[in-house]
Amino acid sequence: MRDAVIVEAVRTPIGKGRPNGSLAHVHPVQLLAHTLRTLVERSGVDPALIDDVIGGAVDQVGEQAMNTTRYAALAAGLPESVPATTVDRQCGSSQQAVHFAAQGVMSGAYDLVVACGVESMSRVPMWSNVPAGKDPFGPGVAERYPEGMVPQGISAELIAAKWSLTRARMDEFAVSSHRKAAAAWRDGLFDAEVAPLDGVARDECVRPDTTPEILAGLKPAYHDPGFAERFPQIEWNVTAGNASPVNDGASAVLITSGDTAARLGLRPLARLHSFAVTGSDPLLMLTGVIPATEKVLRRAGLKLGDIDLFEVNEAFSSVVLAWQQETGADLAKVNVHGGAIALGHPLGASGTRLTTTLVHAMRERGARYALQTMCEAGGLANAMILEGV
């Protein structure tokens, strides 16, 4: 079986997913097209050689409908002969695109393929694809879970309660994310991965001056009397400060085999080593990163101590902290350039955003192995291991 390597990785700056956000004026197709165009330009590849473009998007409706990835490829100027498809594994959609792309290269189905993702949460808000009064789950799920599903914010609260995570601990983690992201920007560590767009050159949500005292003044984000009665263990410690914001952004990576990279004169950034995906309790929902980490390490024949860097998506502080308690990972190796709490979480783009940040961090730090994992709605998680080259 062939290997699969990442030879280029780029992302847009990440804007606030609000009408006044720095990228709210940009159509999602144009957001993704910008990263695809930049990816081709920076790599120098002939775009006609691209076998497929696999993109992630979560709310596939309105301006993100009709196979957004295909139209982004066309808008980017790729030849009409280059196909594209859009996938949805919720927050892990573009990480799943990386899995599919790499597995296609390894099997011989692809020689050169793009994995990417986009989300414009200012123009297509979360849950836009579920009309009011409609049930996206159906009677079979209602029968299996008669008390009903819960929103992700409630899942984050249940995780905080189960792992005894205090408000102070979650706020402290959030502050650390902002400080690491601010330091990475200050030290030029994002320069190689970010493709400025329409005068926007920096991530909009990074708050370098935030403090635990500031975050302590925020109100609980998800308090609900009905859920309080159903789950009396919840202490209502999740706030806008220790959760990821809503955002606009896009990202993309170019994947090929080592032999093809050599033939085309491309420099690999990292080798895609191992992959795993798993399901977990759909009520806790966001804890799948724990078994996914165990599964991918087992498949790779590696131990946690072999991993030099981790990217664990910061949907909420409680998710990463519960993962850390269960795995025993060193938090000093986790999200070293900040995570989604600071940088932002444009849903469909986050998977390849994490990958982009991770491969550049690996090169900057000389890492041998790195692990990326993401929690996803419905009780799902992706995980993969990258190897330095």
Side-chain angles (χ1 to χ4, degrees), residues 13-26 197-198 200-204 248:
I14 299 172
K16 293 179 181 178
R18 305 294 185 190
N20 63 347
S22 60
L23 294 175
H25 66 288
V26 184
L197 174 61
D198 288 357
V200 181
R202 290 206 168 212
D203 301 312
E204 192 176 10
D248 301 340

Side-chain angles (χ1 to χ4, degrees), residues 3-368:
D3 64 349
V5 295
I6 295 172
V7 293
E8 190 56 81
V10 301
R11 68 176 179 93
T12 65
I14 299 172
K16 293 179 181 178
R18 305 294 185 190
N20 63 347
S22 60
L23 294 175
H25 66 288
V26 184
H27 192 287
V29 168
Q30 293 302 116
L31 268 180
L32 185 53
H34 179 67
T35 63
L36 298 178
R37 190 181 304 114
T38 305
L39 193 75
V40 170
E41 290 173 352
R42 290 186 180 180
S43 67
V45 301
D46 178 355
L49 297 177
I50 296 173
D51 291 304
D52 206 353
V53 182
I54 307 172
V58 175
D59 284 294
Q60 297 182 24
V61 67
E63 292 180 330
Q64 280 177 181
M66 299 289 293
N67 192 3
T68 291
T69 311
R70 168 60 171 170
Y71 294 100
L74 294 174
L78 272 60
E80 293 175 346
S81 59
V82 176
T85 190
T86 305
V87 300
D88 174 10
R89 202 189 286 275
Q90 296 294 278
C91 295
S93 295
S94 56
Q95 179 167 344
Q96 185 61 59
V98 174
H99 289 210
F100 284 154
Q103 290 158 358
V105 168
M106 295 165 74
S107 71
Y110 297 136
D111 288 319
L112 194 66
V113 59
V114 174
C116 58
V118 66
E119 204 80 29
S120 177
M121 300 178 79
S122 61
R123 301 171 75 108
V124 187
M126 192 183 303
W127 288 100
S128 293
N129 57 346
V130 182
K134 298 298 181 180
D135 172 18
F137 304 116
V141 171
E143 183 178 354
R144 183 167 182 175
Y145 300 96
E147 293 186 351
M149 294 297 179
V150 302
Q152 289 192 30
I154 300 300
S155 292
E157 289 281 12
L158 290 169
I159 291 167
K162 182 173 180 177
W163 275 271
S164 301
L165 299 170
T166 65
R167 168 74 178 270
R169 182 72 186 93
M170 293 194 290
D171 285 351
E172 177 188 354
F173 180 82
V175 169
S176 174
S177 183
H178 284 282
R179 289 178 178 170
K180 288 186 288 187
W185 272 115
R186 182 195 64 220
D187 296 340
L189 300 180
F190 288 132
D191 292 350
E193 69 185 67
V194 172
L197 174 61
D198 288 357
V200 181
R202 290 206 168 212
D203 301 312
E204 192 176 10
C205 290
V206 179
R207 300 190 299 275
D209 298 325
T210 196
T211 65
E213 291 74 24
I214 291 173
L215 295 190
L218 298 176
K219 296 179 180 179
Y222 299 100
H223 182 268
D224 178 274
F227 286 123
E229 183 177 357
R230 179 177 170 186
F231 303 112
Q233 70 270 36
I234 289 179
E235 297 181 351
W236 305 106
N237 288 326
V238 177
T239 72
N242 56 44
S244 59
V246 295
N247 297 98
D248 301 340
S251 53
V253 301
L254 184 61
I255 298 172
T256 186
S257 67
D259 288 345
T260 302
R263 177 168 54 82
L264 297 177
L266 303 171
R267 183 187 69 166
L269 297 173
R271 183 169 75 90
L272 291 141
H273 187 286
S274 299
F275 310 91
V277 63
T278 189
S280 62
D281 181 350
L283 292 179
L284 285 177
M285 192 187 308
L286 310 173
T287 59
V289 290
I290 298 167
T293 296
E294 297 169 354
K295 188 174 182 179
V296 78
L297 287 169
R298 186 168 62 250
R299 285 189 168 175
L302 297 171
K303 297 179 180 179
L304 194 78
D306 295 321
I307 307 301
D308 300 302
L309 294 174
F310 298 89
E311 280 288 331
V312 184
N313 192 41
E314 293 175 3
F316 300 89
S317 288
S318 61
V319 172
V320 184
L321 293 173
W323 170 88
Q324 187 275 331
Q325 283 191 28
E326 289 296 314
T327 63
D330 181 356
L331 275 180
K333 299 179 179 181
V334 178
N335 304 350
V336 293
H337 293 170
I341 288 173
L343 297 173
H345 183 16
L347 307 177
S350 286
T352 38
R353 198 287 297 168
L354 265 66
T355 305
T356 296
T357 299
L358 186 54
V359 295
H360 288 290
M362 289 176 70
R363 181 164 290 275
E364 190 263 332
R365 293 172 179 252
R368 171 79 186 280

